Amino acid sequence: MKRYALAFIAGLFAILSGWSQQRTFESKELLEAASLLSKDAPYAKAVYQFAESYFNMLLTLSPEERLWKLKADDVIIEAGGLDRLHLVNKETALAISSKENRYTFRLSNDDFKVIQISFPMSYQLISQKNLKELEAEFFQELPIYKFHTAKDSLAIDRTSLTETAPHLYVKKGDKYYIDGISNDLYYTESEGVLSLACSEDHLVESIANTLLSEDIPYDYQLDLKVRRYGFKTDELKIPLKQWIAYCKSKGCEVYVGMEEVGKEQVKACVFAVNGLMKYNHVMNVEFPYALLSDKKGEVKADLTIFVPTHNIANLFEEYNLVNKKNKEKK
């Protein structure tokens, strides 16, 4: 009897071991497929990696815990289920799409859907890090980020420039929500040579360039007050170029809008926008004109990090609505 009991236990252990192994979902083929999809949909690889990680996390939970977690994260299983993941094979097709601030992820074998989920375009969700963790990572990486300025003048395509004043040209970029916020760059021409405007001769254009491009030849320091979770504020001093280069290294597009053009300085708002992960770093800047002639100095700024894009959209909608009402009253 003991022999049979030992054999039974050994068999049961083997079954449980095999079941446990099936609870880990991983596919090199699907990861490669996601990388290929990234050529047309840049978010595809990040979405796949999130889904793979999220499935494995769900598989460790009880059915009740899964339901709670899915509801808390606003992740919806639209077809199929976790119990079908064992059907994934080398022929399984991957589909990833985005619509109305949500990503959709689908695995299918021909017309049979293994699983389909949708979830918010949320950096906290996709990175599986809360705001405190993201802020800690930001403060760890930014001060030590290494950046390189261009040693030689970058070749400028004259056909991409439009003359706005004698010897002053603009290279049109993209707009961010309203016409007054963009990443247009301005160039001046001297003896047939084009270079980024950065002088007191063109105040607003030069400040816009300085806040957008790390290729400006002068060195300015950012005196940052960073607003953090829990109404905390930290201070940080770094080169302005380092801030710009760091944001771009994280996949952000940088935009600037002039809030107030005064007698002695400009107040501007800088948006570092991550279109894939749907977050913004929003920086309010005071830039004295004197810094352009000094070619150095400190720029004071307030920074709010990891603002969800849908919150920015609401702010702009309110702004446009207020303007509309004001115009109707006049």
Side-chain angles (χ1 to χ4, degrees), residues 3 35 48 53 72 82 115 204 231 300:
R3 183 180 301 175
S35 297
Y48 175 78
S53 173
L82 297 172
I115 192 168
V204 175
F231 303 101
K300 293 186 179 297

Side-chain angles (χ1 to χ4, degrees), residues 300-312:
K300 293 186 179 297
D302 287 339
L303 176 64
T304 305
I305 55 179
F306 298 110
V307 180
T309 295
H310 65 82
N311 287 353
I312 295 292

Side-chain angles (χ1 to χ4, degrees), residues 275-286:
L276 301 183
M277 297 294 108
K278 301 299 178 182
Y279 68 81
N280 299 245
H281 302 316
V282 184
M283 185 168 69
N284 294 99
V285 178
E286 294 181 356

Side-chain angles (χ1 to χ4, degrees), residues 16-303:
L16 290 175
S17 297
W19 178 78
S20 176
Q21 290 172 2
Q22 290 176 8
R23 291 171 68 86
T24 300
F25 172 68
E26 184 179 10
S27 171
K28 293 181 180 179
E29 291 80 12
L30 289 174
L31 180 59
E32 290 176 4
S35 297
L36 291 174
L37 287 175
S38 294
K39 295 177 181 178
D40 296 318
Y43 51 81
K45 187 173 181 179
V47 166
Y48 175 78
Q49 290 173 325
F50 160 74
E52 187 175 86
S53 173
Y54 198 78
F55 290 159
N56 284 322
M57 180 273 297
L58 289 177
L59 287 168
T60 66
L61 304 178
S62 68
E64 293 79 11
E65 289 172 328
R66 288 178 193 172
L67 290 174
W68 180 88
K69 183 63 175 172
L70 290 166
K71 184 176 181 180
D73 292 336
D74 192 18
V75 176
I76 301 171
I77 298 179
E78 299 177 337
L82 297 172
D83 58 326
R84 296 182 181 182
L85 287 177
H86 69 281
L87 299 175
V88 170
N89 56 59
K90 293 183 179 181
E91 305 301 322
T92 298
L94 168 68
I96 298 173
S97 60
S98 63
K99 184 179 181 182
E100 297 178 353
N101 291 321
R102 293 183 71 84
Y103 288 121
T104 298
F105 173 96
R106 184 175 72 247
L107 299 177
S108 56
N109 294 336
D110 296 323
D111 295 331
F112 179 79
K113 291 181 180 179
V114 175
I115 192 168
Q116 178 173 311
I117 64 171
S118 72
F119 52 92
M121 296 177 179
S122 164
Y123 188 47
Q124 290 186 55
L125 176 63
I126 294 172
S127 66
Q128 290 292 279
K129 298 175 183 176
N130 61 38
L131 186 54
K132 285 185 178 181
E133 291 171 320
L134 292 176
E135 288 177 343
E137 188 177 86
F138 176 90
F139 274 93
Q140 181 181 3
E141 293 178 347
L142 178 57
I144 61 174
Y145 180 74
K146 304 296 183 182
F147 70 100
H148 304 282
T149 54
K151 295 182 179 180
D152 302 317
S153 298
L154 299 175
I156 302 164
D157 181 8
R158 284 181 174 271
T159 62
S160 66
L161 304 179
T162 302
E163 189 170 11
T164 60
H167 308 294
L168 178 66
Y169 302 84
V170 62
K171 182 178 181 180
K172 285 291 184 180
D174 296 320
K175 307 294 183 187
Y176 189 53
Y177 279 103
I178 60 175
D179 290 341
I181 300 175
S182 72
N183 50 20
D184 297 347
L185 291 174
Y186 298 88
Y187 293 84
T188 55
E189 185 175 29
S190 177
E191 298 180 355
V193 178
L194 289 164
S195 59
L196 285 166
C198 188
S199 73
E200 57 271 28
D201 295 333
H202 304 287
L203 295 173
V204 175
E205 293 86 354
S206 296
I207 291 172
N209 282 348
T210 304
L211 296 172
L212 289 170
S213 175
E214 63 271 46
D215 294 323
I216 291 293
Y218 310 128
D219 294 319
Y220 299 102
Q221 295 291 312
L222 268 182
D223 183 359
L224 279 175
K225 287 186 178 180
V226 186
R227 304 184 188 280
R228 301 186 66 174
Y229 177 80
F231 303 101
K232 296 179 180 179
T233 301
D234 281 338
E235 296 186 358
L236 183 64
K237 290 188 178 183
I238 58 166
L240 174 57
K241 293 179 182 179
Q242 186 169 327
W243 150 258
I244 297 170
Y246 173 78
C247 289
K248 291 180 179 179
S249 76
K250 291 295 184 177
C252 294
E253 293 286 338
V254 184
Y255 304 85
V256 65
M258 299 302 170
E259 292 183 297
E260 182 182 322
V261 180
K263 293 182 179 180
E264 297 182 354
Q265 68 175 9
V266 157
K267 291 184 179 179
C269 193
V270 180
F271 297 83
V273 182
N274 192 304
L276 301 183
M277 297 294 108
K278 301 299 178 182
Y279 68 81
N280 299 245
H281 302 316
V282 184
M283 185 168 69
N284 294 99
V285 178
E286 294 181 356
F287 199 112
Y289 301 135
L291 297 186
L292 292 174
S293 55
D294 294 342
K295 301 178 181 178
K296 61 181 181 179
E298 283 191 353
V299 179
K300 293 186 179 297
D302 287 339
L303 176 64

